Amino acid sequence: MADVFKLQIVTPERVFYEGDAGMVELSTTEGDIGVYANHIPMTAIVAPGVLKIHEGSEIKKAALHAGFIEVLPEEITIMAEVVEWPDEIDVKRAEEARIRAERRLKEHSAESDVLRAKLALRRAMTRLSARQ
């Protein structure tokens, strides 16, 4: 059996996940990472993306939007602002958010906050990707 580590994912509202994993994949502000047991200690800022939790031969996906990750050799903790299982995602709402963000980015008006629109688009695309 491959090495496993304790994985805990918490949000301000709940403990989202707690269990053993063989690998976790996620996006950070420095790029995408994959972490196995016995990894060197590190911390990183989470960026919107699809989180993949490897449990044996099964891979669980979730939409992870923002937060921090702390990696220790035998334990990983993700403190997330928002994280959702695919069945918790409202696809219609995510699609509407995608359309609004794309429209704001095309308008280039003075009132339009481009950074906010880009982040909204990335969150919407993350939600839609997690549902696939």
Side-chain angles (χ1 to χ4, degrees):
M1 184 173 149
D3 287 343
V4 296
F5 55 86
K6 298 285 182 199
L7 175 62
Q8 183 178 46
I9 303 169
V10 295
T11 71
E13 291 83 33
R14 65 181 171 157
V15 174
F16 178 79
Y17 177 90
E18 201 164 30
D20 292 333
M23 180 181 178
V24 64
E25 298 176 74
L26 66 143
S27 297
T28 72
T29 56
E30 299 298 316
D32 294 342
I33 63 171
V35 184
Y36 290 98
N38 303 312
H39 195 282
I40 62 168
M42 65 173 253
T43 58
I45 300 170
V46 172
V50 176
L51 168 71
K52 295 178 184 173
I53 303 166
H54 296 252
E55 289 182 336
S57 61
E58 183 183 0
I59 299 174
K60 294 183 176 183
K61 289 184 180 181
L64 178 59
H65 300 288
F68 299 91
I69 181 172
E70 177 188 44
V71 177
L72 299 173
E74 297 176 6
E75 179 181 1
I76 295 176
T77 303
I78 299 173
M79 294 156 282
E81 290 181 30
V82 177
V83 60
E84 305 161 296
W85 293 116
D87 62 351
E88 297 173 333
I89 296 169
D90 182 338
V91 175
K92 182 179 179 198
R93 185 172 170 233
E95 187 62 34
E96 289 169 352
R98 181 191 64 78
I99 291 167
R100 276 193 312 274
E102 287 176 343
R103 186 174 52 242
R104 275 190 244 128
L105 288 170
K106 286 180 185 174
E107 288 174 354
H108 296 297
S109 68
E111 305 87 44
S112 183
D113 185 339
V114 174
L115 181 59
R116 277 186 64 196
K118 285 181 180 180
L119 287 171
L121 179 59
R122 187 152 181 200
R123 285 191 304 269
M125 296 304 295
T126 294
R127 284 186 169 106
L128 295 169
S129 294
R131 286 292 303 232
Q132 295 178 350

